[in-house]
Amino acid sequence: MCGRFTITLPNDAMGQHFDARVANTVPYAPNYNVCPTNQVHVVKSGETGRQLVAMRWGFLPRWYETENGGPLLINARSETIANKRAFGEACRQRRCILVATGFYEWTKTAEGKRLPWYIQRRDGAPIAFAGVWQDWGPVETRQSTCAIVTTPANRTLSQIHHRMPLILEPENWALWLGELGKGAAPLMRPGAEDILQFHRVPVAVNSNRASGPELIEPLPVQAE
């Protein structure tokens, strides 16, 4: 599961990191509280090479008559994505990378209090979430939408959640984006144990209206 994340790199730096041309519609960064239905930074590949573009986080299948015409599809499970009506075609033909610098997960106390954790790469590099995308709506109002592919959590992340985003290493970007043809199925596995680290952060991030770098500041586990 991935329901909230951060993006703190400047747009130009994102483009350089992923060797992608930056569209003039990409959203403002930094954003320390990226929420479902927000516009997010997405790398996709086409005839003219890689592009960094804006997409709605919340995949809209073609048969949805409105944006609220069905469940909000922000994640797609790696185990079933190829056979799901909503995602199957996109998994084969429209794979993408969502750019992040970190993401949040929550644990619960015995009393039911939600405690947020911030997760990032140990090496400080941007995180490449595997994703799928779909254009939706009539031509005059068409929008691109996307979802993050998830896998079972590795041992590291299973301490706080049973699912994790599918994280792609640089050597696998081209294969996932379809630049090397088919054969991306072997990439659908949990990330290596040593690539991520996490720490507790203030409960302010529990609100989707919260913002600012203080949301990712480390908080002692005993606090609050």
Side-chain angles (χ1 to χ4, degrees):
M1 178 67 179
C2 180
R4 213 88 68 76
F5 64 92
T6 65
I7 179 64
T8 60
L9 282 178
N11 291 340
D12 288 346
M14 281 184 263
Q16 292 175 9
H17 186 75
F18 288 94
D19 192 23
R21 180 165 52 86
V22 181
N24 58 14
T25 56
V26 291
Y28 170 80
N31 185 344
Y32 291 88
N33 196 2
V34 179
C35 301
T37 73
N38 285 174
Q39 292 290 302
V40 295
H41 301 77
V42 176
V43 178
K44 68 175 185 176
S45 190
E47 294 180 358
T48 59
R50 292 179 188 171
Q51 288 183 295
L52 180 70
V53 300
M55 291 190 186
R56 176 191 189 266
W57 183 24
F59 189 98
L60 295 173
R62 289 196 178 98
W63 61 85
Y64 278 23
E65 295 184 1
T66 67
E67 292 185 6
N68 299 318
L72 179 60
L73 304 176
I74 62 171
N75 294 152
R77 296 173 68 96
S78 61
E79 304 95 316
T80 58
I81 187 173
N83 299 316
K84 287 289 186 180
R85 181 188 177 203
F87 299 122
E89 181 185 4
C91 182
R92 292 185 292 273
Q93 301 180 14
R94 292 183 300 279
R95 297 191 297 270
C96 62
I97 293 172
L98 283 76
V99 184
T101 45
F103 61 102
Y104 301 98
E105 287 295 357
W106 282 260
T107 56
K108 282 187 177 182
T109 67
E111 297 76 27
K113 185 176 182 179
R114 299 178 73 234
L115 303 179
W117 300 78
Y118 184 63
I119 304 151
Q120 58 193 328
R121 290 186 64 106
R122 290 182 183 273
D123 60 10
I127 303 176
F129 293 148
V132 292
W133 67 277
Q134 170 73 58
D135 282 340
W136 178 86
V139 174
E140 60 273 14
T141 59
R142 183 164 297 166
Q143 59 179 311
S144 295
T145 70
C146 61
I148 295 171
V149 181
T150 67
T151 72
N154 60 23
R155 288 192 302 274
T156 301
L157 265 292
S158 65
Q159 299 174 66
I160 56 176
H161 203 276
H162 66 285
R163 303 288 297 179
M164 67 181 292
L166 173 53
I167 296 174
L168 301 170
E169 295 302 311
E171 62 269 21
N172 294 323
W173 295 348
L175 181 58
W176 182 259
L177 292 173
E179 297 167 354
L180 300 179
K182 300 180 180 180
L187 301 180
M188 294 193 196
R189 60 183 185 272
E193 295 294 338
D194 60 350
I195 64 171
L196 298 175
Q197 61 186 11
F198 54 85
H199 60 262
R200 276 273 285 113
V201 292
V203 295
V205 76
N206 290 0
S207 169
N208 59 14
R209 296 185 179 91
S211 63
E214 63 275 11
L215 297 181
I216 64 172
E217 287 298 316
L219 186 74
V221 174
Q222 295 82 4
E224 302 180 344

